Amino acid sequence: MTAAPRATELGLVGCHTCGLTCAIGQTRCPRCASHLHPRKPDSLARSWALLIAALVLYVPSNMLPVMYTSMLGRGEASTILHGVVEFWKAGSWDIALLIFIASVAVPSTKFLVLGMLLVSARRKSPWARPQRARLYRLVELIGYWSMLDVVVVALVCALVQFHLLGTAEPRAGIVFFGLVVVLTMFAAMSFDPRLIWDADDDA
Amino acid sequence: MTESGTAAAPPAPTAKRRRWSAGLIWLVPVVAALIGIGMVIQNWASEGPVIEMSFITAEGLEAGKTQVKYKDVVIGLVESIRLAGDNTHVIARVNLGKDASGFATADARFWVVRPRFGTSGVSGIGTLLSGAYIGADIGESHEVKKIFVGLERPPAVIHGSPGKRFTLVANDIGSLDVGSPVYYRRIQVGRLVSYELDKEGRQMHVDIFVDAPYDRFVNVSSRFWNASGVDLNLDAGGLKLNTQSLATVVAGGLAFATPPGPRDTTPASDGAQFQLFDDMQAAFAPPDGEPDYLQMRFEQSLRGLSVGSQVDFRGIVVGKVVSIRLDYDVDKHSFPLIVGVVIYPQRFGAAGEKIAQLAPRDGNDQNKRLAYLIEPMVARGLRAQARTGNLLTGQLYIALDFIPGAVKVAFDPATRPVELPTTPGSFDRLQEQLTGIVDKLDRIPLEAIGKHLDSTIARLDRTLRQVDEATLPQFNATLAGAQGTLGTAQQAIATDAPLQQNLAQTLAEMQRAARSLRALTDYLGVHPESLLRGKPVDPALREAPENDGKGNKP
Ligand SMILES: [Zn+2]
């Protein structure tokens, strides 16, 4: 791994916004006027803070009902897990699985992966660096799709408005779930993947 | 790609900004945590008491779904449903909301609202689609209670409804039921709330609720009666048909009114007690008071007498028949009928009061008092009679009356119950008399008379035949003889008959004689001396005085 020289070794710094390679002393990118940093400032702290906030909000997002459905006068407010169980019991195991993956498995995976990345980056661990980098890209990718639940609730509530026959209304849980998704995305964005490779300097 | 030595100047602002933003970013998890804690606090704050209620069946109830509602506002949720230990009922565990903690008090009531189709209407239609829910009613108590017995049917009155509750005492419930309407001038003003048998099982206590604007019409003089169904009444008075409204025909109902006349119209207080009468007529009748029980023993058939038939004293209905039993008299080998009647002394009015004062007030033995009063009356001829009240229907009633010349009977005042002697009714006596007449008719020897008549007719026949054979020809001959005689007579008196002619001649002679007599009297009138001297000779009249001389000489 010594084959490739680091940017700092060459006295260079890359622009975060447009990718222009600049000299290390410059404060702003000559092309897009963004601030130039060798690494994202306070990356680990910001990432941690956002991740912890997301984790805190993940609790109410699962405890509170996300949607209130009323069919033929019988109203019922359901949480995410309740919905999964209901679909599973009703025999729609595929939908149950989809909701479970989108609402439970994916956020939990993100928490675990980001947490692991943050811990290993702080320790400057040399362990499985290419895999960690790939994991980070994966987390960024699935971040866009984590809003699936929110979109489903929004669609259902917009479409199912038949008054007496059936209505659906969003409940507070979905707001928290949306916040969790947004915060995890911010946490992932705040993390500077280059930190994964930084350990060698000190070693 | 310009490598300059200006590295020293820029780091200062970046470092400053970094410290500021580094502190700021930790606000995010703090805010998130605050929100989370806020949610927990709110959740804890909205957590109300957990109560348990038992129902006979969990029909329509679903754990985690069935709501508890008060005035259609959700105040709780059924958390779980399980069978009670002895499997006789189910227990629903309910999470009440924080603001519904007032429902966990001693006099709160819970019931399952399901669709109900009853005689008094249809309710809970909304639950057909939405499923059942548990209705709740709050009370006034502040005593905390966690375990309730759910009502099996919705209460008729929700707590706090304006109006008054009254208790009616009835002999039986009739066709009434919880929810049966209460009418005042044929509009519904309330409903039956509950009923229960008293401890001795002798009377029903019926609770009714009269809604607010109308409850003031219930006053201390009000009378309540059972207005259920069609009151078709066939008795000695004829056929009667009464209904309060078409609805009561199906659902049953109660009605109340103030009897006419000057009455105390002070509105009745909440919880006042009234008597429930069987019908309007009974309700408006003056109060009967405690009845006296009497027994009677009839030897004849009482077809047409039934339980409820009237007991009448000089045209006033003073009681009614309560029992009719068949008995067997071992000595006479007869089947007497024992009729039990109740007499209401208050219906005798002033007479009853005056008589009652005669009785000794030495104890509580009503029978003794009654026997004391009745004994002298029986001695004076008081008897019970089964009389026909309605010839068309043949209904009988019991009449109490003083029968002149009634057969003396022994009255035993010690008999319990008091037994009033009877006498056959007017109709029965008529029957008896008719029977007597028929008996007498029976005793006439019609057969012998017939035989006599028969032989007489035979003899007559023989006589007639004799007449026919012997007498008639002779009679014919006689008639012919008579005819001959008559013919001779006719000839004798014919115009040219000698007898006739002789008669005519004789008459002519007499005419002439009369003429000469007149001439003589005329002559004598002129010549009266000629009677003494005689007549001067007149040759023409010489013969005449000779003829007349015979008559004139005396
Ligand atoms: Zn740039």
Side-chain angles (χ1 to χ4, degrees):
Chain A
M1 302 225 183
T2 51
R6 293 176 185 283
T8 42
E9 289 166 7
L10 300 173
L12 297 172
V13 59
C15 174
H16 295 301
T17 313
C18 66
L20 181 69
T21 312
C22 309
I24 202 156
Q26 286 175 303
T27 55
R28 283 176 185 275
C29 172
R31 186 159 66 188
C32 67
S34 304
H35 287 287
L36 289 175
H37 317 286
R39 295 285 177 270
K40 286 182 183 173
D42 302 327
S43 171
L44 289 179
R46 287 184 192 193
S47 211
W48 269 122
L50 293 169
L51 188 65
I52 288 167
L55 207 59
V56 167
L57 293 182
Y58 189 62
V59 177
S61 79
N62 271 294
M63 299 288 285
L64 295 175
V66 292
M67 191 164 64
Y68 171 84
T69 50
S70 154
M71 299 297 280
L72 296 170
R74 163 172 284 209
E76 190 187 344
S78 50
T79 61
I80 292 170
L81 277 173
H82 190 241
V84 171
V85 173
E86 284 286 291
F87 275 114
W88 186 269
K89 275 185 183 168
S92 313
W93 59 270
D94 41 1
I95 297 177
L97 203 65
L98 189 71
I99 296 176
F100 183 77
I101 290 173
S103 316
V104 182
V106 168
S108 306
T109 316
K110 275 164 83 175
F111 292 136
L112 286 175
V113 168
L114 271 177
M116 187 268 287
L117 285 177
L118 285 168
V119 169
S120 59
R122 165 147 303 181
R123 286 185 181 172
K124 301 182 192 300
S125 162
W127 168 71
R129 278 173 172 152
Q131 287 80 4
R132 277 155 61 197
R134 204 176 298 148
L135 263 179
Y136 174 74
R137 286 197 291 277
L138 185 75
V139 164
E140 272 214 307
L141 182 75
I142 61 173
Y144 308 129
W145 298 98
S146 300
M147 281 296 198
L148 188 72
D149 277 46
V150 182
V151 171
V152 165
V153 169
L155 270 178
V156 167
C157 293
L159 293 176
V160 183
Q161 292 293 339
F162 306 118
H163 295 284
L164 192 68
L165 286 176
T167 52
E169 293 164 13
R171 283 286 184 266
I174 202 67
V175 176
F176 287 101
F177 189 81
L179 281 174
V180 168
V181 173
V182 169
L183 285 173
T184 48
M185 281 168 75
F186 278 144
M189 277 168 63
S190 303
F191 181 70
D192 196 331
R194 286 171 293 188
L195 292 171
I196 297 169
W197 309 95
D198 273 357
D200 282 359
D201 286 352
D202 304 331
Chain B
M1 289 283 169
T2 47
E3 287 182 28
S4 64
T6 56
T14 47
K16 214 183 201 174
R17 192 170 65 240
R18 221 177 270 167
R19 233 179 287 135
W20 182 75
S21 63
L24 192 68
I25 199 68
W26 285 104
L27 275 177
V28 176
V30 169
V31 168
L34 280 178
I35 292 173
I37 291 165
M39 294 303 298
V40 169
I41 290 172
Q42 194 202 337
N43 204 33
W44 173 78
S46 66
E47 187 86 344
V50 176
I51 58 171
E52 287 191 341
M53 54 191 78
S54 61
F55 293 105
I56 297 295
T57 166
E59 182 197 344
L61 301 182
E62 219 173 322
K65 283 190 178 167
T66 305
Q67 295 166 329
V68 182
K69 293 185 183 178
Y70 175 65
K71 295 189 174 178
D72 260 2
V73 174
V74 179
I75 58 163
L77 192 71
V78 174
E79 188 187 274
S80 66
I81 299 167
R82 64 189 154 83
L83 274 177
D86 54 359
N87 295 342
T88 56
H89 55 276
V90 297
I91 293 174
R93 200 177 156 84
V94 170
N95 264 331
L96 285 181
K98 179 75 181 172
D99 46 353
S101 55
F103 286 87
T105 49
D107 53 358
R109 294 178 293 175
F110 299 93
W111 64 95
V112 180
V113 179
R114 309 184 174 100
R116 280 172 203 278
F117 302 89
T119 50
S120 50
V122 178
S123 67
I125 276 293
T127 60
L128 265 183
L129 298 177
S130 65
Y133 64 89
I134 293 178
D137 185 25
I138 195 165
E140 285 190 338
S141 168
H142 293 288
E143 188 191 332
V144 175
K145 190 178 172 188
K146 299 280 183 186
I147 293 175
F148 295 87
V149 176
L151 308 178
E152 287 312 310
R153 55 171 79 219
V157 180
I158 298 297
H159 179 80
S161 315
K164 280 181 192 161
R165 193 183 274 262
F166 302 105
T167 303
L168 307 180
V169 180
N171 288 329
D172 60 66
I173 192 75
S175 55
L176 298 174
D177 200 356
V178 170
S180 289
V182 176
Y183 291 92
Y184 178 69
R185 296 187 184 276
R186 305 205 178 207
I187 56 167
Q188 190 182 341
V189 297
R191 61 219 153 276
L192 198 154
V193 177
S194 67
Y195 56 83
E196 60 171 6
L197 209 58
D198 68 0
K199 286 196 181 84
E200 292 84 32
R202 294 169 68 176
Q203 282 179 319
M204 295 298 302
H205 286 257
V206 180
D207 273 5
I208 61 160
F209 189 84
V210 179
D211 292 323
Y214 306 106
D215 57 346
R216 64 197 162 94
F217 298 123
V218 181
N219 55 50
V220 291
S221 313
S222 287
R223 299 285 171 79
F224 288 79
W225 68 91
N226 189 336
S228 292
V230 182
D231 184 9
L232 189 65
N233 197 0
L234 179 69
D235 60 10
L239 185 72
K240 270 190 293 185
L241 177 74
N242 279 319
T243 58
Q244 185 71 13
S245 82
L246 195 60
T248 59
V249 174
V250 182
L254 296 162
F256 70 89
T258 307
R263 302 277 173 182
D264 182 3
T265 53
T266 318
S269 57
D270 193 38
Q273 192 161 328
F274 293 92
Q275 197 187 341
L276 179 64
F277 294 93
D278 287 344
D279 53 42
M280 184 176 167
Q281 210 180 5
F284 279 14
D288 286 334
E290 275 295 300
D292 285 329
Y293 184 80
L294 284 175
Q295 226 174 41
M296 297 158 188
R297 185 186 176 92
F298 288 94
E299 295 292 341
Q300 76 271 23
S301 161
L302 290 178
R303 185 185 173 81
L305 190 78
S306 53
V307 170
S309 289
Q310 295 171 346
V311 177
D312 174 302
F313 179 73
R314 308 216 151 164
I316 295 168
V317 178
V318 295
K320 62 185 177 187
V321 173
V322 291
S323 68
I324 302 171
R325 287 182 293 117
L326 197 63
D327 199 6
Y328 181 68
D329 191 324
V330 182
D331 298 330
K332 293 185 196 165
H333 298 289
S334 65
F335 291 90
L337 286 155
I338 309 295
V339 176
V341 303
V342 289
I343 304 286
Y344 300 99
Q346 291 194 19
R347 291 200 189 170
F348 287 91
E353 285 167 26
K354 283 180 186 170
I355 293 169
Q357 281 168 4
L358 300 174
R361 302 197 166 276
D362 58 346
N364 301 327
D365 190 351
Q366 182 75 8
N367 277 313
K368 190 174 172 185
R369 205 174 61 80
L370 194 65
Y372 179 87
L373 287 174
I374 284 180
E375 192 169 7
M377 296 193 197
V378 171
R380 283 194 292 122
L382 181 69
R383 297 287 185 277
Q385 259 187 334
R387 288 187 189 162
T388 306
N390 188 323
L391 277 174
L392 263 183
T393 58
Q395 298 285 324
L396 291 180
Y397 68 97
I398 303 286
L400 306 180
D401 213 342
F402 290 95
I403 309 289
V407 184
K408 289 254 184 271
V409 288
F411 179 77
D412 182 7
T415 319
R416 295 288 178 272
V418 178
E419 193 171 317
L420 192 67
T422 64
T423 188
S426 49
F427 201 68
D428 299 306
R429 267 197 305 201
L430 187 66
Q431 261 183 338
E432 267 176 26
Q433 284 166 357
L434 278 174
T435 315
I437 292 168
V438 170
D439 274 354
K440 279 176 194 158
L441 279 176
D442 217 25
R443 262 178 266 136
I444 296 172
L446 280 176
E447 212 173 333
I449 293 171
K451 269 183 199 156
H452 276 291
L453 206 61
D454 215 28
S455 58
T456 312
I457 288 170
R459 251 180 293 164
L460 193 67
D461 198 38
R462 252 179 286 139
T463 315
L464 281 177
R465 204 176 300 136
Q466 207 178 341
V467 167
D468 211 26
E469 286 167 357
T471 319
L472 271 183
Q474 286 177 0
F475 192 62
N476 273 354
T478 313
L479 277 180
Q483 204 172 7
T485 314
L486 282 174
T488 318
Q490 204 173 4
Q491 279 171 6
I493 59 173
T495 320
D496 52 348
L499 188 65
Q500 281 277 42
Q501 280 180 356
N502 287 349
L503 198 64
Q505 278 171 7
T506 310
L507 284 173
E509 286 287 321
M510 276 181 72
Q511 215 170 355
R512 256 181 273 145
R515 202 181 299 142
S516 59
L517 193 62
R518 194 165 58 225
L520 174 67
T521 53
D522 289 346
Y523 180 79
L524 281 176
V526 180
H527 305 283
E529 72 281 0
S530 58
L531 276 174
L532 300 173
R533 292 181 193 168
K535 191 188 170 196
V537 183
D538 187 352
L541 291 172
R542 232 167 240 209
E543 295 151 312
E546 279 180 19
N547 277 353
D548 290 339
K550 291 169 190 172
N552 287 330
K553 268 174 191 168

